[in-house]
Amino acid sequence: MTVTAQPIIVGSERSEVGLPAGMAVLRAGGSALDAVEVALRHCEDNLADHYVGTGWLPNARGEVELDASVMIGSTRGFGAVAALQGYPNPISVARAVLERLPQHALLVGDGAALFAAECGFARADLLTEEARRVWHQALRDTEEGVEGENTDATPGDAAYRRAALAVVQRLAPHRGPWGTTNVLALDRSGELVCGVSTSGYPYKYPGRVGDSAIPGAGNYCDLRFGAAACTGRGELSMRATGARAVVEHLARGADPGTACSAMLADVATLPDEFRAELRVLALAPDGRHGAAAGQDGSVYAVMTADSVAPEVRPRTVA
């Protein structure tokens, strides 16, 4: 690439922890890919954030499973991992899939963990005591009601199975911020990169994979038109191929904010008894950016080469 662009990095809620490190890479002339990885690693290592990386709230079986992906705008190269256990920085493992295993784009579960081990990534216990306490608190009442220690064995077993299924069905995501963190970056060479890292829904069914590891759903990047990434109800984004839809709107000439709102308007027409908010963020190759959400108060963060700190911007309410 011969283009000289003004570097910029944008991110979803809670990305402020990592954006300064990503911008430091860009200011030094580093690549958008390095900037995205560094920024997301800072977010994954933030123990105060229970929705990404170490310290996440576990699935319904008490296990932490992580998803992440990275996509390169100039080649549309894509690398991802999903349902990864035991490795605290899934964004780095996703990048390794992109660069070291080019015949594939997505690894899941045990295969993703095997690959992480082969690449030399360090293992870690991802379930912190604080996350464990929150998880147990949420499950405590149900556990007391379904143990069935003093009932006849057969009816008790049946009652427990029904109650266990009810736990999986009734536990909604925490009312705080959604688990996914998006970071999109444009470097001086004009390269555009989009990265996503998430722990998914708290108390999710084991093995559940959301949109974050799926190209076109939670993450899409095409240097000709722009990049987009989603947070929130990933099942809706998968059904609408949400990130790809935003980039298609950019290709037709929409500004980033309008492109994001148009995708959410389409998603709103889909039936979903488990409907929850979906948010989206976009960055164009010329540095324009925008975001949309379904409710007031939703924000995203921006840094340019001149920024002292991340600037929080409101998302358009779709």
Side-chain angles (χ1 to χ4, degrees), residues 139-149:
L139 295 175
R140 185 179 59 188
D141 292 342
T142 299
E143 289 178 341
E144 293 174 355
V146 302
E147 287 178 355
E149 291 177 347

Side-chain angles (χ1 to χ4, degrees), residues 132-143 167 170-171 203:
R132 193 190 310 274
R133 183 193 65 77
V134 173
W135 181 68
H136 277 262
Q137 181 67 31
L139 295 175
R140 185 179 59 188
D141 292 342
T142 299
E143 289 178 341
V167 167
R170 77 172 177 80
L171 281 176
Y203 323 115

Side-chain angles (χ1 to χ4, degrees), residues 297-317:
S298 300
V299 298
Y300 69 105
V302 182
M303 286 192 76
T304 67
D306 298 325
S307 298
V308 175
E311 177 183 348
V312 175
R313 301 280 185 93
R315 293 180 187 248
T316 301
V317 178

Side-chain angles (χ1 to χ4, degrees), residues 184 192-194 220-222 225-229 243 246-247 250 281-285:
L184 291 66
L192 185 63
V193 174
C194 183
Y220 197 72
C221 190
D222 185 332
F225 312 119
V246 171
V247 174
L250 294 173
L281 173 67
L283 177 63

Side-chain angles (χ1 to χ4, degrees), residues 32 36 70-78 183-186 190-195 215-216 218-229 243-244 247 250 283 285:
V36 166
V70 63
M71 190 166 187
I72 312 299
S74 60
T75 64
R76 281 177 276 176
F78 185 85
V183 174
L184 291 66
L186 178 70
E191 182 64 275
L192 185 63
V193 174
C194 183
N219 181 358
Y220 197 72
C221 190
D222 185 332
L223 185 58
R224 297 172 298 176
F225 312 119
R244 174 66 186 265
V247 174
L250 294 173
L283 177 63

